[in-house]
Amino acid sequence: MGQKGEETRGRLLDATRDLIETGGYFGTGLNQVIAASGTPRGSLYFHFPGGKDQLVGESVRRAGDEIGRSLRALAESSSGTRGMVAGMLAFLGDRLERSGWRRGCPVATVALETAATSDPLQRICAEVYGSWEAELRRRLAAEGHPEPADTAATVLALIEGALLLARAHRSREPLERVARRVEALL
């Protein structure tokens, strides 16, 4: 695929991510994606012959990779897992607040809406969450934490819950509370 094709594909994925993150899977139609991306209808079906589920799945995977890169960058620049998690909570809180409380976790909405009805999307959401959890687990194990797997799952669940509550309350307070508890936990 040429550069123009890659750019078109990227615009479709970015538009999908923004729309599903703010409006949900069921609240996002392909016509909205086409309009938001500024691409012709034929491009959508050329790049995503599997339709909406393929488009959403690849968008979720791409968003998950971006968050994963941010997590790894924070891991490299932080003195420990506490600092990494505090940095991630601040990053996600900034992102959420800048969006007017519309953009929390780029995976959560799709997972909540489709995990019981779409095996391919459920697998992609699980893979993304699994990759984030693995990064936390690796970091905890490297620090000699006695239960890295359980603690990584707990921390990820706390972050996800805090994002949901922060979005619902339109407040950073849940993120700040979780940051304090994570510091005590770790």
Side-chain angles (χ1 to χ4, degrees):
M1 182 180 320
Q3 182 178 352
K4 184 176 180 186
E6 285 296 327
E7 289 172 2
T8 299
R9 190 173 204 289
R11 287 200 324 265
L12 287 163
L13 288 169
D14 290 343
T16 301
R17 174 189 176 163
D18 290 343
L19 290 166
I20 62 172
E21 194 171 350
T22 59
Y25 176 87
F26 294 111
T28 299
L30 294 179
N31 288 335
Q32 290 173 292
V33 172
I34 291 165
S37 66
T39 60
R41 178 175 302 278
S43 292
L44 186 139
Y45 295 105
F46 174 78
H47 290 287
F48 303 98
K52 184 176 179 179
D53 279 2
Q54 180 187 4
L55 176 63
V56 169
E58 290 189 34
S59 178
V60 166
R61 187 173 279 128
R62 181 175 166 149
D65 290 345
E66 289 174 17
I67 297 292
R69 282 191 299 276
S70 296
L71 189 59
R72 286 186 296 280
L74 282 166
E76 291 172 11
S77 66
S78 301
S79 61
T81 306
R82 285 183 189 146
M84 178 183 75
V85 173
M88 183 54 80
L89 284 163
F91 166 77
L92 292 169
D94 291 346
R95 182 177 178 276
L96 181 58
E97 195 168 2
R98 273 194 316 273
S99 72
W101 309 103
R102 295 177 54 107
R103 296 181 72 197
C105 173
V107 180
T109 303
V110 174
L112 290 169
E113 291 183 347
T114 67
T117 58
S118 172
D119 290 340
L121 290 175
Q122 177 275 326
R123 280 191 296 275
I124 290 169
C125 291
E127 287 170 17
V128 171
Y129 281 133
S131 71
W132 297 347
E133 189 176 326
E135 185 63 38
L136 287 166
R137 186 175 54 249
R138 277 191 293 277
R139 185 70 179 227
L140 290 164
E143 292 175 0
H145 197 283
E147 298 175 336
D150 288 351
T151 304
T154 300
V155 169
L156 181 58
L158 287 169
I159 292 169
E160 286 297 315
L163 284 169
L164 177 63
L165 291 172
R167 192 171 179 184
H169 293 289
R170 294 183 182 173
S171 167
R172 292 180 80 115
E173 187 176 351
L175 297 164
E176 293 162 358
R177 287 180 170 177
V178 164
R180 288 191 299 271
R181 294 311 313 146
V182 166
E183 187 171 330
L185 176 67
L186 301 179

